Amino acid sequence: SDYNPFVVLPHKPTYLLPITYNASPNNNPSRKLTGEDMQYAEIKFQLSLKVVMVPKLFKDNGQLAFAYTQQSYWQAYQFRRSSPFRETNHEAELMLYFFNDVDLMVMKNRMITWGLLHHSNGRAEQFSRSWNRLYLNFVLEERNLVISIKPWYRIPDEEKRDENPDIEKFYGYGEVLAHYQMSEYSIGLLLRNNFRSRNRGAIQLSWTFPLYNKVNGYLQYFNGYGESLIDYNDSTNRIGLGIMLTNWL
């Protein structure tokens, strides 16, 4: 079939959680910005897209792609302050995919991705957070189960302008993602850990279920560090309910 370089494809999940409750909000940035504490309830949503720029870089294999992911936290129910957006994170990725079919006995390695990622919140001065990473992503598959193992390396920043020099202590050095499809239902698990004596990490559990036509309901629970960049060094405990527009599979 003819290749169209302008087709926009899904990348990470795209979802809307109009109801989330954060039991442990980080009020320090909020007080500095507005003089008020955060509300426990807010809207969280994520949009993630990619474009394949070169479909066959090396003969019949190797795809070069660009992806953009935006994740936002909206204090929509804080009517006294005109419902401000509390935080928006941006991820820009350049990725090189290689498809394979290596049998690892228990599962098959379907794909390996080399990636360069810029992650920032687009703010200035004391509220600015950003870092750059190189990563490898190994995608394993067996029937309805997909596991992604993604170690990364932080590209060193200039010491004088490094906005978050200790960010690896909270995000760690990689993440593991598992996704299991059961007919019209799916469950997901995301794990991060810093593998240090002062242990910090994160876990995210998710469940999707049929709602209406092609729209799925989505339940998400997050506990730990690094849910958003402004809160990377403060632990979050959040549960949210909404809709999933595109999933991992």
Side-chain angles (χ1 to χ4, degrees), residues 34-156:
T34 67
E36 295 187 30
D37 288 347
M38 280 173 50
Q39 283 197 336
Y40 291 84
E42 65 182 355
I43 294 174
K44 176 183 177 181
F45 63 88
Q46 179 169 287
L47 171 68
S48 188
L49 305 166
K50 75 176 177 183
V51 174
V52 176
M53 298 182 293
V54 183
K56 295 179 181 180
L57 201 58
F58 304 102
K59 294 184 179 180
D60 292 332
N61 206 342
Q63 287 190 354
L64 184 65
F66 174 80
Y68 172 75
T69 301
Q70 176 182 308
Q71 189 178 97
S72 293
Y73 300 83
W74 182 15
Q75 290 271 291
Y77 309 113
Q78 201 167 71
F79 302 117
R80 288 193 310 167
R81 288 175 45 209
S82 302
S83 305
F85 276 83
R86 179 176 66 86
E87 170 82 345
T88 295
N89 291 170
H90 311 272
E91 289 185 355
E93 295 178 63
L94 190 64
M95 300 166 292
L96 181 59
Y97 295 92
F98 290 97
F99 299 97
N100 52 44
D101 199 15
V102 178
D103 195 340
L104 301 176
M105 296 180 68
V106 179
M107 303 185 75
K108 289 188 177 181
N109 178 209
R110 296 294 191 188
M111 184 171 66
I112 297 175
T113 304
W114 294 81
L116 171 63
L117 185 148
H118 173 72
H119 190 190
S120 72
N121 66 352
R123 293 189 175 184
E125 298 178 354
Q126 61 177 315
F127 303 109
S128 176
R129 307 282 187 273
S130 69
W131 62 320
N132 299 308
R133 283 171 280 173
L134 292 168
Y135 67 80
L136 264 175
N137 191 15
F138 301 90
V139 179
L140 311 176
E141 181 182 297
E142 179 60 32
R143 296 184 181 179
N144 296 336
L145 175 65
V146 174
I147 296 177
S148 162
I149 302 171
K150 186 179 181 182
W152 57 60
Y153 166 75
R154 183 189 183 188
I155 300 173

Side-chain angles (χ1 to χ4, degrees), residues 14-16 214-216 243-247:
T14 291
Y15 59 80
L16 169 65
K214 294 184 179 181
V215 177
N216 287 320
I243 58 172
M244 171 76 76
L245 300 179
T246 61
N247 208 337

